[in-house]
Amino acid sequence: MLTHLIKKSVQEIKCPTLIVFSKASSQKEKLAEITHKELNKSLAEAIQDKHITGKHCEIILYREMNFQGYRHVIVIGLGKSSDINHEKIRQASASAYDAVKSLKSAEAAFHFDGITTSLKDSSSYIKAVTEGLHLASYSFEQFKSKKSDNKNEITFHICSQNAADKNVKKGFEEGVVLASCVNFSRNLGDTPGNLMTPEILAHNAVQAAKGTGVKVQVWNKARIKKEKMGGLLGVSMGSSEEPRFIIMEYKGAKATDKPLIYVGKGLTFDCGGISIKPSASMEDMKYDMCGGANVIGTILAIAKLKLKINVIGLIPSTENLAGPSATKPGDIHTARNGKTFEVNNTDAEGRLILADALSYASELKPQMILDAATLTGAMVMALGNTHTGYFTRHAELSKKVEKAAEVSGEWVWRMPLTDYHVQDMKGTFADLSNISSGKGAGSATAAAFLEQFVGEGIPWAHFDIAGTGWAVGNRLNYCSKKGASGAMIRTFVEFAKAASGTK
Ligand code: BES
Ligand code: MN
Ligand code: ZN
């Protein structure tokens, strides 16, 4: 799919399909309105009959309408004017994409100015439009012999009188970069475990970083051992695939500026190890590297947007299988920071690989650490697939997270993390146990375990994306039904943007 921003009115474009928008009225007795004057007149009857209501994401197709040189016209509902926000526009744009696709049209003119007539900031709205279109265009079909329709061949001409405006252009380009990085991470997530091993994940990070200014280092098993990463090594022992530790570095600010570090769980397949999982839905555990994939996407986006900030991405990556050398329940390993832990359940492996990554991150003297992980089933129980639960003890950091998520449109929810949760993670024979001695609060006790590896005084937040990492398409029309979502990439990039001061 291609999007072009052009300084033309839709009247000046020659292509088969026109996309316009309708707004619902706030007053009951009043009718909907189409954001294109002449069309509003032509379709007065349809509006009168309440065929067009302007309801958010309503899709009305007029095939062969032959209006002002356009063969087809698509009217997409924006909802009530007073309710319009970036997320509504993102979703309405995704609906526009779906409509053009279902028409099997190859080209469409997008009447952007109709959206923003009553809105001040065109730049952020055009960003939402390009995000919506590009995110909706994602599909994972490389393993189907028969591809569906004309999916990736659609061209959208986004028409705006403000197209030459510096900020509008910037908003447009930002939307394209962000969405393409999200789609890149989604593809890593959707690729099955046999084709997305730690080695392949690392290779993808190296390849994608070329030409972006991101420096990538990949540590192999021997190096991981040398670096005393007992958590990552311990989890990898049940598999014949070697683990990898991926380090991505982008310097957009002064060398002396402390980096913002992102850590992501890169578990390319989690069968649970010796504490093996039940078979039902085990195939979903190919998504257990989504935290890592999304950190890779975050670093790439920050570099491509040339944000004035230093960032580092750390992705510990391994399989968690039950081979002959696998870690056994009761085994004790030592993490990089010297703390020992009993592995009382080999399925609680994410925290073990993150332990080493967080220890290493802390040594790099960061200004902050954010991590993303498909860490606990308990998170899915608590928040389903609507919100990403996040944990931090740092009030200031929490405010920044909320602000970034507000801008990105991703939903986050702060969860508790207290000394009581830490208490539950004490070991019997080692410093720590990898599972809680108490009942419930499985996501909070996992966070408490992670906290033991974050250096004193470093602001840190942990994002458990177990519920939001994939299969959110029932809720968000710009995400695929079952596939990876790219959760938190947009929020993480927004966070970096705010931290860099280039707002
Ligand atoms: N990767 C899983 C968490 C998960 C489960 C994510 C389902 C998404 C959907 C993680 O490694 C895991 O297995 N966690 C265990 C921890 C438990 C043994 C303390 C869990 O949540 O059951
Ligand atoms: Mn597990
Ligand atoms: Zn896991």
Side-chain angles (χ1 to χ4, degrees), residues 219-227 233 236-237 239-245:
W219 291 354
N220 63 9
K221 188 171 183 169
R223 180 73 189 264
I224 288 165
K225 208 180 222 167
K226 205 167 141 211
E227 297 287 344
L233 204 64
S236 78
M237 278 162 27
S239 167
S240 55
E241 289 290 338
E242 273 206 12
R244 290 288 183 269
F245 189 73

Side-chain angles (χ1 to χ4, degrees), residues 265 270 277 285 288 345 347-351 374-378 380 434-435 466 470:
K265 173 179 174 183
D270 178 16
K277 286 180 182 296
M285 285 299 113
D288 216 15
N345 186 322
D347 198 11
E349 85 299 337
R351 61 198 73 185
T374 47
L375 204 63
T376 62
V380 192
N434 77 330
I435 53 170
W470 71 95

